[in-house]
Amino acid sequence: MLKLENLSVAVNDRPILHDVNLHIKPGEVHVLFGPNGTGKSTLISAIMGFARYTVTGGKIYFKGQDITKSSVDERARLGIGVMIQRPPTLRGLTVREMVQICGKKQVDVDELADKINMVEFLERGVNEGFSGGEIKRSELLQLMAQQPDLVMLDEPESGVDIENIALVGKSANYILERGMRKNGQTVKKYRTDRKKSGLIITHTGHILQYIPADTAHVMYQGTLACSGNPQEMLSCIQKKGYEECVNCAL
Amino acid sequence: MASEQNIKNKAHAALTKKAALGADIDLTAFADNATEKNYVSDPAKFSSEQKKQLESIGVEVAGGERAGTYMQLDHSIVHCSASNKGLEILSTDDALKKYDGLPSYWWQAVEPDADKYTARAALHQEHGYFIHAFEGAKIDYPVQACLYIGQEDIVQDVHNIIIVEEGAELHVITGCATDPQVKKGMHIGISEFYVKKGGKLTFTMIHRWGEEVAVRPRTGVIVEENGLYISNYICMQPAKNLQMYPTTKLVGPGAVSRINSILVAPTGSHMDVGGRAILDAPGTKAEIVARTISTGGIVINRGHLLGQSPETKAHLECHGLLLSDEGVIHAVPELEARTSNAELSHEAAVGKIAPEEIEYLMARGLNEEDAIATIVRGFLNVNIEGLPDALKREIDSVIQEFSLNRQ
Ligand SMILES: Nc1ncnc2c1ncn2[C@@H]1O[C@H](COP(=O)(O)OP(=O)(O)O)[C@@H](O)[C@H]1O
Ligand SMILES: [Mg+2]
């Protein structure tokens, strides 16, 4: 689904990411751990193609196609969807209109909004006066309509209160089509039928309770330092901290 | 009360008095030899080109869903009728005759010697409308008024009066335009509005001027106890030289005014548009909201809140969007408190569209042009009460034009 080859990225001429290699196959969900300021958000932004993030080396492939130089909207239409950490406010554009914009096909905005407890926000300006948690729910609602094949979530749990974390997790699973196994479906079939992929940044790991991830990576000082089983890595980081965790793997 | 002679004397003394704001217009530069136009009993008889122009400024030519119509072409009244019993529509000349010179209203909210334009109107005035909602009358449909310049090189001086009596409710839509052929001309419009105790006036004004037309509206509004005045001003077409600074005075306790404007200044436009709200009684509230866009023209957007009575509250909001490197938007918000418990605030932001906003929409699949058009549409989407459908379509088409003409 997504393949990064030796990707290096600079922001305002300052190198942030160095030679990042990553391969996310269809149906896989990867998580990205890492301390603050290490370049996790930069990675997602570069994959989406935001102009501030200059690719200084390497390639981005999506569904086999080189998208390193594609525009943001081309990438979106190819099937990449993103929830950034701090989306801007769009004055005068309602959440309802935004969700309709996201929808590839006609979507039932009210029905989707109901799933994520956003019905009351539909007529409000996008992110206008929203709390941290409301922003996350609004982003997820947009992604539910957008139905991307690769979903990138930047710290989906941050600013979300305890009651709503499960809701965020459930909605992310909905977008990733990771619902319940259908009656009579074998575990194997359930796994191979999944096509949607995810790249989820989490600082705390809380969201892993709700979203089953296949692989985890630790980003450290702009490189992917190590990869492995999400739960094992999380407990290693929690016990020893990033520095030691990264060192042991290196 | 100012006698007629008194008004004339004052005006004479101010005939060369430059306005406080805006370029000085040479009034002798206009030939101003308008011919008398015939009364049109059925406005549907206008030419199709004129009808189109009228519709673009919110006029329902067939008069549907309108409680009355006043139409003035150059210096002539071409239509004047009311279809609601709670309502009276006259030319101001007829109203002056009928009401003995309207001593409580004539030049009571605007000074005849404010500047050379008010002075000229006091001496040369050619009609204008008098719209009067009787006590307690809730006028269901809007009254439409249209001031149209159809002949090259004239100066149209009108004097309008709106009176909303106690407890009455009225919506007036005024469209001002020039004939598509007319390039040069001048419009001076004196408007004095009076909202009595508990009355409500919504005043929507749409301007669509020829590119070389100079425009100097002079408006004063007086709102009494618990009265409500809502003003919506829309100008989205080039105006070479437009300057106005309507003043709303809230004189009765609990009076409220809300003033919205939408200005779009294409290349070649110079719009100096502002507004002042004077909170002159306890518990009065005012709000001024402006959305300005420059696609190459110059916009000066002024706003002044003057709190001079206790427990008053007012907010000023001007947001400007610069869509071209050639354009200028100059926001001048002013707050003036003359009593310790006036609560005045303002919010002003002028700039280009943030690239993050464009990219946010692009990440949801819109191309760059559609993303910009969407942001502009949202930007202009101030909630305007009672906007006619034709006008909503007009706003949409202007937004569409931006996205097409963007370099
Ligand atoms: N838009 C930006 N402008 C300037 N610096 C940025 C920008 N985005 C990221 N950076 C810098 O790049 C580095 C990595 O940031 P980021 O990717 O946000 O880290 P993380 O998401 O891992 O916390 C930081 O030093 C940050 O200050
Ligand atoms: Mg981050």
Side-chain angles (χ1 to χ4, degrees):
Chain A
M1 182 73 74
L2 178 79
K3 199 166 186 187
L4 307 180
E5 277 180 11
N6 298 318
L7 187 71
S8 296
V9 175
V11 178
N12 296 336
D13 292 331
R14 199 180 119 210
I16 307 286
L17 299 181
H18 316 278
D19 291 316
V20 173
N21 289 289
L22 178 69
H23 188 186
I24 302 178
K25 296 191 181 115
E28 283 182 1
V29 173
H30 291 216
V31 283
L32 196 53
F33 298 118
N36 271 331
T38 200
K40 302 183 298 297
S41 298
T42 301
L43 181 66
I44 277 191
S45 303
I47 295 170
M48 199 66 230
F50 293 140
R52 249 180 216 260
Y53 301 85
T54 316
V55 173
T56 52
K59 294 271 183 216
I60 306 170
Y61 295 95
F62 183 66
K63 295 180 179 170
Q65 189 176 333
D66 181 354
I67 58 159
T68 317
K69 294 197 162 65
S70 303
S71 66
V72 174
D73 54 315
E74 279 167 342
R75 298 179 203 213
R77 285 196 297 269
L78 276 173
I80 307 183
V82 69
M83 171 207 272
I84 55 173
Q85 268 177 302
R86 275 177 294 273
T89 298
L90 299 178
R91 244 169 226 288
L93 181 73
T94 63
V95 172
R96 179 185 295 282
E97 290 163 323
M98 186 68 167
V99 175
Q100 274 154 353
I101 284 170
C102 296
K104 266 194 245 165
K105 306 174 277 247
Q106 279 296 99
V107 288
D108 186 337
V109 179
D110 295 271
E111 193 194 309
L112 289 180
D114 193 43
K115 282 189 203 294
I116 189 139
N117 223 344
M118 283 297 286
V119 175
E120 273 115 85
F121 290 79
L122 286 176
E123 316 309 328
R124 279 179 56 180
V126 176
N127 300 327
E128 218 171 327
F130 285 14
S131 73
E134 287 159 3
I135 289 179
K136 302 293 176 204
R137 270 149 57 208
S138 152
E139 292 293 292
L140 287 166
L141 172 59
Q142 293 168 38
L143 289 169
M144 282 155 95
Q146 195 179 347
Q147 301 174 15
D149 297 318
L150 171 68
V151 190
M152 302 192 291
L153 306 176
D154 199 343
E155 301 198 16
E157 76 274 47
S158 82
V160 180
D161 52 37
I162 307 289
E163 300 104 85
N164 278 310
I165 270 207
L167 184 60
V168 164
K170 208 177 105 195
S171 308
N173 279 330
Y174 174 88
I175 297 162
L176 288 162
E177 293 179 353
R178 294 206 155 201
M180 302 282 282
R181 188 147 50 99
K182 288 190 203 95
N183 261 346
Q185 194 179 28
T186 62
V187 174
K188 194 167 171 219
K189 179 106 174 74
Y190 170 69
R191 277 181 191 269
T192 52
D193 274 1
R194 297 196 303 227
K195 291 287 178 291
K196 303 264 176 177
S197 309
L199 177 59
I200 298 167
I201 295 177
T202 172
H203 187 56
T204 61
H206 291 322
I207 200 70
L208 291 183
Q209 284 175 262
Y210 305 97
I211 308 174
D214 301 294
T215 308
H217 311 271
V218 175
M219 178 164 275
Y220 200 71
Q221 293 172 353
T223 57
L224 282 190
C226 56
S227 306
N229 175 288
Q231 286 305 335
E232 284 169 21
M233 289 189 81
L234 181 61
S235 51
C236 166
I237 293 161
Q238 279 165 344
K239 271 189 224 116
K240 302 181 190 162
Y242 279 113
E243 205 163 341
E244 209 171 315
C245 177
V246 169
N247 279 336
C248 89
L250 279 176
Chain B
M1 295 293 137
S3 72
E4 198 186 327
Q5 196 50 49
N6 216 332
I7 292 167
K8 297 262 189 259
N9 290 345
K10 275 184 159 180
H12 268 292
L15 267 176
T16 56
K17 182 177 172 185
K18 286 186 183 170
L21 300 168
D24 191 44
I25 310 285
D26 180 6
L27 295 169
T28 62
F30 301 92
D32 196 29
N33 40 12
T35 50
E36 199 54 36
K37 310 297 187 303
N38 291 332
Y39 188 84
V40 186
S41 54
D42 180 5
K45 292 198 182 110
F46 284 109
S47 79
S48 66
E49 205 173 24
Q50 284 174 328
K51 272 192 219 164
K52 209 174 142 218
Q53 189 79 338
L54 291 170
E55 273 166 9
S56 76
I57 51 170
V59 176
E60 275 290 333
V61 179
E65 308 210 324
R66 291 291 180 265
T69 299
Y70 175 91
M71 284 191 188
Q72 180 166 344
L73 175 57
D74 302 331
H75 301 167
S76 312
I77 299 159
V78 293
H79 192 83
C80 180
S81 68
S83 60
N84 188 303
K85 284 198 182 67
L87 184 69
E88 173 181 40
I89 306 177
L90 301 168
S91 81
T92 35
D93 305 82
D94 289 342
L96 285 170
K97 280 184 214 129
K98 182 171 177 182
Y99 292 104
D100 300 322
L102 289 166
S104 316
Y105 306 105
W106 194 242
W107 291 109
Q108 297 304 304
V110 175
E111 290 290 340
D113 58 353
D115 55 38
K116 62 196 250 190
Y117 312 108
T118 57
R120 181 182 159 107
L123 298 170
H124 290 257
Q125 173 236 336
E126 308 271 359
H127 310 300
Y129 53 74
F130 172 83
I131 303 173
H132 186 189
F134 302 139
E135 190 174 331
K138 311 249 190 278
I139 313 300
D140 44 3
Y141 290 121
V143 169
Q144 58 184 358
C146 168
L147 303 165
Y148 200 85
I149 296 180
Q151 202 178 326
E152 190 70 21
D153 213 15
I154 68 154
V155 181
Q156 187 180 51
D157 310 271
V158 297
H159 191 149
N160 309 310
I161 303 269
I162 298 176
I163 303 169
V164 174
E165 298 285 359
E166 271 192 40
E169 288 182 12
L170 175 68
H171 184 177
V172 174
I173 298 174
T174 296
C176 300
T178 41
D179 206 76
Q181 282 90 14
V182 171
K183 294 286 170 271
K184 185 179 162 213
M186 168 139 201
H187 170 91
I188 298 173
I190 310 298
S191 296
E192 300 186 277
F193 303 159
Y194 300 88
V195 182
K196 302 290 181 68
K197 190 172 167 182
K200 175 181 174 186
L201 173 62
T202 304
F203 179 74
T204 300
M205 181 157 76
I206 303 102
H207 277 178
R208 191 185 184 107
W209 300 106
E211 294 186 16
E212 298 288 319
V213 177
V215 185
R216 291 293 182 272
R218 295 293 181 256
T219 302
V221 184
I222 293 177
V223 188
E224 294 182 4
E225 188 175 341
N226 293 324
L228 171 62
Y229 174 63
I230 299 172
S231 158
N232 303 309
Y233 175 63
I234 298 163
C235 182
M236 304 199 298
Q237 302 294 331
K240 187 189 180 190
N241 201 322
L242 162 68
Q243 187 272 320
M244 58 189 245
Y245 196 75
T247 298
T248 305
K249 203 166 179 183
L250 304 170
V251 300
V256 175
S257 70
R258 288 210 297 272
I259 305 199
N260 305 311
S261 41
I262 294 180
L263 302 171
V264 176
T267 306
S269 291
H270 190 289
M271 302 179 180
D272 185 333
V273 173
R276 170 180 286 156
I278 302 173
L279 299 108
D280 207 18
T284 51
K285 287 196 181 78
E287 189 182 82
I288 298 180
V289 176
R291 295 278 186 273
T292 61
I293 289 185
S294 167
T295 56
I298 298 171
V299 185
I300 303 169
N301 184 226
R302 304 173 194 274
H304 183 205
L305 301 174
L306 173 56
Q308 48 192 24
S309 201
E311 312 300 337
T312 50
K313 194 173 168 179
H315 184 67
L316 180 66
E317 190 183 304
C318 35
H319 287 274
L321 209 52
L322 210 51
L323 296 183
S324 149
D325 288 334
E326 268 87 68
V328 176
I329 298 179
H330 183 170
V332 191
E334 290 179 75
L335 306 181
E336 185 178 345
R338 288 176 175 268
T339 166
S340 60
N341 49 4
E343 194 184 320
L344 309 179
S345 58
H346 86 81
E347 190 187 327
V350 170
K352 293 182 192 307
I353 299 178
E356 293 74 30
E357 293 179 22
I358 300 171
E359 285 188 329
Y360 185 31
L361 285 163
M362 288 173 75
R364 298 293 183 235
L366 290 188
N367 66 34
E368 191 179 0
E369 287 198 344
D370 289 345
I372 290 170
T374 301
I375 292 164
V376 171
R377 196 174 303 131
F379 178 81
L380 292 179
N381 183 16
V382 275
N383 230 339
I384 293 191
E385 246 178 74
L387 204 62
D389 282 344
L391 212 59
K392 282 184 196 147
R393 284 196 298 274
E394 181 72 6
I395 293 181
D396 275 346
S397 77
V398 168
I399 291 163
Q400 216 55 43
E401 278 169 38
F402 293 151
S403 33
L404 297 177
N405 296 340
R406 238 173 41 80
Q407 60 277 56

